[in-house]
Amino acid sequence: MNNLRWWKSIGAACLLSCASLAAHADAGELRGRHVDLKDQLRSNSYGRPLVIDSKEGSNSLQGDVYAVLDHPFEKVKDALQDPDAWCAIMLLPFNTKACHANGSRLAMRIGRKPDQPVEQAYRIDFSFQNAAATADYFESRLTAAQGPFGTRDYVIVAEAVPLEGGKTFMHMRYAYGFSGSGRFAMQAYLATAGASKVGFTTNGVRGAVERNAMRYYLAIDAYLDTLHLPVAQRVEKRALEWFNATERYPRQLREMDRHTYLAMKRLEYDRQQTASAN
């Protein structure tokens, strides 16, 4: 029995050691990425220290945002390790109708139209995981097996390392897979209602995933920017800041006017508060 406990303790120590080494390697890789992108972060067309990239596979899409945040690392880490914070973040984009966190589960409702009833919006169930958290690196991850219109295998990852001067370098990845019907649905959208939409570095389906990645990045930034406010003021200020940030890129991100967006988000937030109280 003593030998069994000894082997278990050795195994646990090995797991912790391996996790620590993996986090150290990831931190080094992200710092190296910051060095590689330093010139692009300093001078670009976004008006902020930001770089966007995207990839298209045979049945998958991925959008990546690399950014320097004007927030200290501990603040970013603490916020993005909280499932409730992620629900507040995910609710900011115009097409999210609802988000409820229950432990490590996030239930989101995604709509196609601003006035779509929440019960008619598509439900996506995300699993939340704090993949790593050390003094100089963290990674949080959201995954979902199924999405709307034939999409699947959703992954949203946020990882970060501290920088000098109380800033943080963050990488956010937004990716998903799709079936043949999913590709057809995306192509049909881009040929009709989305025909005028462009991406940040390219157009088509890669442009679409870039737009979504940018929306989520701006939502993270707006969430962090408003944490210092009294709780009662955060929701309104957060929504306004997110909308104003998207308006800097109207060709890619404009979906509606400010009044319509703010009225919609007030309604959605009030509905969530009522549902939580009941």
Side-chain angles (χ1 to χ4, degrees):
M1 191 67 178
N2 289 335
N3 286 339
L4 179 60
R5 282 199 296 267
W6 185 82
W7 281 111
K8 285 183 175 179
S9 66
I10 291 296
C14 288
L15 286 174
L16 290 172
S17 177
C18 289
S20 177
L21 289 172
H24 181 75
D26 290 337
E29 183 177 342
L30 191 56
R31 287 196 192 92
R33 194 75 176 119
H34 176 252
V35 172
D36 293 341
L37 295 174
K38 188 165 288 187
D39 290 342
Q40 295 179 61
L41 291 165
R42 185 183 299 115
S43 178
N44 57 62
S45 61
Y46 304 115
R48 57 169 70 200
L50 174 74
V51 174
I52 297 177
D53 193 13
S54 59
K55 300 175 184 177
E56 179 182 1
S58 59
N59 59 355
S60 64
L61 286 168
Q62 177 176 316
D64 294 276
V65 176
Y66 298 89
V68 175
L69 302 175
D70 288 325
H71 301 283
F73 174 75
E74 286 299 324
K75 176 183 178 181
V76 178
K77 181 174 73 169
D78 290 346
L80 298 186
Q81 291 184 113
D82 180 3
D84 288 317
W86 273 101
C87 255
I89 289 165
M90 304 289 265
L91 191 61
L92 287 171
F94 74 97
N95 62 336
T96 306
K97 311 306 293 181
C99 183
H100 297 279
N102 182 9
S104 61
R105 301 286 179 178
L106 276 69
M108 283 180 58
R109 292 277 185 172
I110 303 295
R112 300 187 70 179
K113 299 178 181 179
D115 58 350
Q116 185 173 14
V118 66
E119 60 272 10
Q120 295 179 14
Y122 191 95
R123 176 168 171 163
I124 305 180
D125 292 315
F126 281 98
S127 295
F128 176 80
Q129 178 189 12
N130 284 317
T134 67
D136 63 352
Y137 175 79
F138 88 88
E139 178 187 322
S140 294
R141 182 180 294 260
L142 294 167
T143 57
Q146 300 293 330
F149 317 120
T151 56
R152 60 175 186 253
D153 300 329
Y154 278 76
V155 178
I156 300 174
V157 174
E159 59 174 346
V161 292
L163 298 177
E164 294 181 356
K167 297 186 178 184
T168 301
F169 181 59
M170 184 185 75
H171 167 221
M172 196 213 74
R173 181 168 82 248
Y174 172 76
Y176 59 90
F178 47 83
S179 61
S181 61
R183 178 179 285 277
F184 178 80
M186 284 188 287
Q187 290 173 339
Y189 167 76
L190 293 171
T192 53
S196 62
K197 299 293 183 183
V198 298
F200 289 92
T201 71
T202 185
N203 299 325
V205 292
R206 279 180 57 194
V209 78
E210 288 179 356
R211 291 194 296 272
N212 280 332
M214 184 65 145
R215 289 184 181 108
Y216 288 132
Y217 156 71
L218 293 175
I220 290 173
D221 203 36
Y223 180 86
L224 294 169
D225 278 348
T226 53
L227 285 177
H228 70 285
L229 295 173
V231 174
Q233 299 177 21
R234 290 179 187 175
V235 173
E236 185 79 10
K237 176 62 175 175
R238 192 173 291 155
L240 181 60
E241 181 166 324
W242 184 86
F243 181 86
N244 289 340
T246 65
E247 281 293 280
R248 298 176 68 175
Y249 318 102
R251 293 188 65 225
Q252 292 89 356
L253 301 182
R254 180 176 291 163
E255 297 289 341
M256 60 190 69
D257 61 71
R258 179 184 301 178
H259 175 78
T260 302
Y261 170 77
L262 292 177
M264 179 179 68
K265 289 303 165 183
R266 290 186 194 111
L267 179 64
E268 291 167 357
Y269 181 76
D270 288 345
R271 183 174 58 226
Q272 290 211 160
Q273 294 299 100
T274 301
S276 297
N278 294 333

